[in-house]
Amino acid sequence: MAAVDDLQFEEFGDTATSLAANPDATTISIEDPGETPKHQPGPPGGSGREEDDELLGNDDSDKTELLAGQKKSSPFWTFEYYQTFFDVDTYQVFDRIKGSLLPIPGKNFVRLYIRSNPDLYGPFWICATLVFAIAISGNLSNFLIHLGRKTYHYVPEFRKVSIAATIIYAYAWLVPLALWGFLVWRNSKVMNIVSYSFLEIVCVYGYSLFIYIPTAILWIIPQKVVRWILVMIALGISGSVLAMTFWPAVREDNRRIALATVVTIVLLHVLLSVGCLAYFFDAPEMDHLPTSTAAPNQTAAAAKAS
Amino acid sequence: MRSRIREFDSSTLNESVQNTIMRDLKAVGKKFMHVLYPRKSNTLLRDWDLWGPLILCVTLALMLQRGSVDSEKDGGPQFAEVFVIVWFGAVTITLNSKLLGGNISFFQSLCVLGYCILPLTVAMLVCRLVLLAEPGPINFMVRLFVVIVMFAWSIVASTAFLADSQPPNRKALAVYPVFLFYFVISWMILTFTPQ
């Protein structure tokens, strides 16, 4: 096996994928160049603990909390205070989006990408894009489905934009608020090693919604099977990002509560995607509703499907 | 709502109303020309005013108004909705670019974003005219083409004015919301169906 030094250095790129190279570049440019890697805790030895440190980041979280405290020193009524939440460059936003699309087992999105620099740019504009993507795709898909029918008059359904906006923004901000409150409460009872700030949770939720933008566009295809496959894929990816982020935060806790928390997170995510699919996109089978009454089977099947 | 560059210190109180109105109209017209032929110039930024954006926004919202006897729930955007989208969209984009560290002032950015709606307003006019003709796929393709061209024009015009004010490694972050904003307005124009 390699010498201890090699192990130490290997630990950073350890996860040895190209994704790990980027966070190093990210850290160097955000914090003091070249200093941050030295602040990482050296592995106490043994490869089992390395993964834990990567996930939990013991001293790392203390020091980054300190650094975070030093950064946000302006009072909250000044403009500069809010500028600290937009302190991201283009490539950092792209990296975070990429990280949300490729969940790697054992990698924690917050520790790897956000690293105490949570931004509000990603969550806000990803939600805005998602709102319009869902509303426009729903409109287009309904138009394509009902195209042949003589009684159909196209309406832009503009009200659905406001409904979509309410749903998406409420999900992206209220659920993190509830989750953060819950985690803080559990933290006071059980000493958790990993704790996230409210903004980091908002960040994870915001970036995890990114997968739904291409999904919503692909939902225009009026095939039920295709749509459900897309739902499964999107849920798989974003659900696993969320689960892998929050599992370290609750696993110190009572087994049942930890499981219930993660299951609730995933369930809410499922509810969001299935709800959006059901509300904004009409069922494709409606196109085949016969105008004559001579096919009761088809009518019954269509009624069951819608 | 205007910034004035006083070249000579004389009172404009005693001039005729026509003079006052013509001066402001000329300023607005000059800015329209700058939007239609976008070059990297500072005129829009230095001498901002919000009359142009107001005129354009009201015109667009009026033209997007359907013969509003139909109050169906799922109809097109109402006047207030268009107005709110344009102004709150512009404010949000301006706030976003300032938070990212841009060095453009609040009203200058509003001015640029508002004036760059001009190509889309022209597209709306053309679409309304085209819709007087026979409906059908050709009708739709013509409208689609016009809207796409004008959308690209708006983006190019606003980027020409706004891009320089951003820090270099955040340009894409600042330009993307502009793209989204004009895309939504183009969508509203394209999906306009008269009664």
Side-chain angles (χ1 to χ4, degrees):
Chain A
M1 278 302 281
V4 176
D5 277 329
D6 283 65
L7 266 182
Q8 273 192 355
F9 281 96
E10 250 180 356
E11 204 238 337
F12 302 122
D14 155 53
T15 31
T17 56
S18 56
L19 285 172
N22 284 341
D24 282 345
T26 308
T27 8
I28 287 180
S29 66
I30 294 177
E31 286 142 16
D32 289 318
E35 273 195 33
T36 318
K38 297 196 193 89
H39 285 202
Q40 301 283 342
S47 50
R49 300 279 297 274
E50 287 174 0
E51 206 186 80
D52 275 0
D53 283 336
E54 253 290 334
L55 279 179
L56 307 181
N58 293 335
D59 299 335
D60 183 53
S61 66
D62 284 351
K63 292 207 170 99
T64 48
E65 287 301 290
L66 266 179
L67 282 170
Q70 284 170 0
K71 276 196 322 193
K72 301 180 185 17
S73 57
S74 317
F76 68 89
W77 56 83
T78 59
F79 192 70
E80 285 71 29
Y81 175 74
Y82 297 101
Q83 267 186 323
T84 56
F85 301 137
F86 283 77
D87 194 15
V88 279
D89 291 337
T90 310
Y91 74 90
Q92 285 175 308
V93 173
F94 281 153
D95 275 345
R96 293 177 184 191
I97 292 180
K98 209 171 50 165
S100 79
L101 290 176
L102 303 169
I104 305 208
K107 291 300 147 249
N108 185 332
F109 183 77
V110 175
R111 286 291 159 243
L112 206 55
Y113 290 103
I114 300 193
R115 291 205 171 218
S116 85
N117 187 25
D119 70 302
L120 286 181
Y121 177 91
F124 183 78
W125 287 108
I126 290 179
C127 289
T129 313
L130 185 59
V131 164
F132 289 113
I134 287 189
I136 292 180
S137 305
N139 197 224
L140 261 181
S141 127
N142 291 351
F143 170 70
L144 288 176
I145 287 179
H146 299 302
L147 192 46
R149 286 170 44 183
K150 292 192 186 57
T151 53
Y152 178 69
H153 177 64
Y154 170 74
V155 284
E157 288 179 327
F158 199 73
R159 293 297 153 85
K160 296 214 164 163
V161 173
S162 2
I163 299 175
T166 315
I167 296 176
I168 303 276
Y169 275 99
Y171 180 80
W173 289 83
L174 293 183
V175 171
L177 186 64
L179 187 59
W180 174 74
F182 175 77
L183 287 177
V184 163
W185 174 59
R186 291 311 300 178
N187 240 352
S188 67
K189 299 205 162 185
V190 174
M191 206 47 231
N192 268 328
I193 302 181
V194 175
S195 67
Y196 299 126
S197 73
F198 171 61
L199 282 172
E200 286 172 346
I201 301 185
V202 167
C203 228
V204 175
Y205 265 87
Y207 280 104
S208 73
L209 284 177
F210 179 81
I211 184 71
Y212 286 111
I213 298 177
T215 310
I217 298 178
L218 285 176
W219 272 343
I220 297 180
I221 302 175
Q223 295 296 325
K224 233 175 158 56
V225 174
V226 171
R227 286 182 179 176
W228 281 101
I229 293 180
L230 286 168
V231 169
M232 294 298 153
I233 298 178
L235 266 179
I237 294 181
S238 56
S240 58
V241 168
L242 286 178
M244 285 194 292
T245 305
F246 290 108
W247 178 246
V250 291
R251 72 177 169 196
E252 311 291 323
D253 207 342
N254 181 355
R255 199 78 192 173
R256 278 203 205 135
I257 297 192
L259 274 176
T261 312
V262 176
V263 165
T264 313
I265 293 176
V266 174
L267 263 178
L268 282 172
H269 220 61
V270 171
L271 203 62
L272 177 80
S273 44
V274 172
C276 281
L277 178 59
Y279 183 71
F280 291 101
F281 294 83
D282 285 344
E285 270 73 13
M286 279 170 62
D287 186 24
H288 301 305
L289 267 179
T291 46
S292 67
T293 51
N297 304 346
Q298 279 183 347
T299 324
K304 238 185 356 173
S306 63
Chain B
M1 281 214 300
R2 293 180 295 263
S3 78
R4 291 186 182 280
I5 296 198
R6 299 245 160 98
E7 284 141 332
F8 44 90
D9 191 16
S10 79
S11 148
T12 54
L13 202 54
N14 293 327
E15 62 181 10
S16 67
V17 174
Q18 183 186 12
N19 272 355
T20 315
I21 294 184
M22 285 315 293
R23 184 176 54 236
D24 283 330
L25 274 181
K26 280 203 196 119
V28 169
K30 208 162 70 146
K31 293 205 188 66
F32 279 168
M33 284 302 128
H34 271 100
V35 170
L36 286 178
Y37 303 108
R39 286 181 305 271
K40 283 205 173 15
S41 85
N42 293 357
T43 316
L44 258 189
L45 290 183
R46 216 178 26 195
D47 232 346
W48 61 266
D49 74 81
L50 291 179
W51 285 119
L54 183 66
I55 296 174
L56 287 172
C57 181
V58 168
T59 314
L60 190 62
L62 279 177
M63 285 199 288
L64 276 173
Q65 184 82 357
R66 298 148 62 98
S68 63
V69 179
D70 72 70
S71 51
E72 346 165 359
K73 222 169 169 302
D74 288 334
Q78 300 299 311
F79 181 92
E81 283 169 343
V82 177
F83 211 79
V84 159
I85 283 195
V86 169
W87 285 101
F88 271 98
V91 166
T92 311
I93 296 177
T94 308
L95 276 180
N96 176 67
S97 82
K98 285 193 73 81
L99 283 168
L100 282 173
N103 59 2
I104 192 173
S105 102
F106 184 77
F107 286 109
Q108 282 173 346
S109 171
L110 276 189
C111 168
V112 168
L113 288 169
Y115 269 103
C116 290
I117 297 184
L118 176 65
L120 286 171
T121 312
V122 169
M124 183 74 223
L125 270 168
V126 171
C127 281
R128 277 214 97 141
L129 288 175
V130 170
L131 276 170
L132 293 174
E134 182 75 30
I138 302 185
N139 194 309
F140 176 72
M141 297 307 284
V142 170
R143 282 186 293 138
L144 181 66
F145 176 72
V146 168
V147 169
I148 289 181
V149 166
M150 291 302 175
F151 166 64
W153 202 334
S154 284
I155 301 257
V156 165
S158 60
T159 320
F161 294 117
L162 286 179
D164 287 336
S165 66
Q166 293 301 320
N169 48 352
R170 296 181 183 183
K171 277 206 171 54
L173 294 186
V175 167
Y176 170 72
V178 177
F179 171 86
L180 186 64
F181 176 63
Y182 289 127
F183 181 80
V184 170
I185 298 184
S186 313
W187 175 257
M188 287 197 295
I189 292 176
L190 188 59
T191 61
F192 172 77
T193 49
Q195 278 231 267

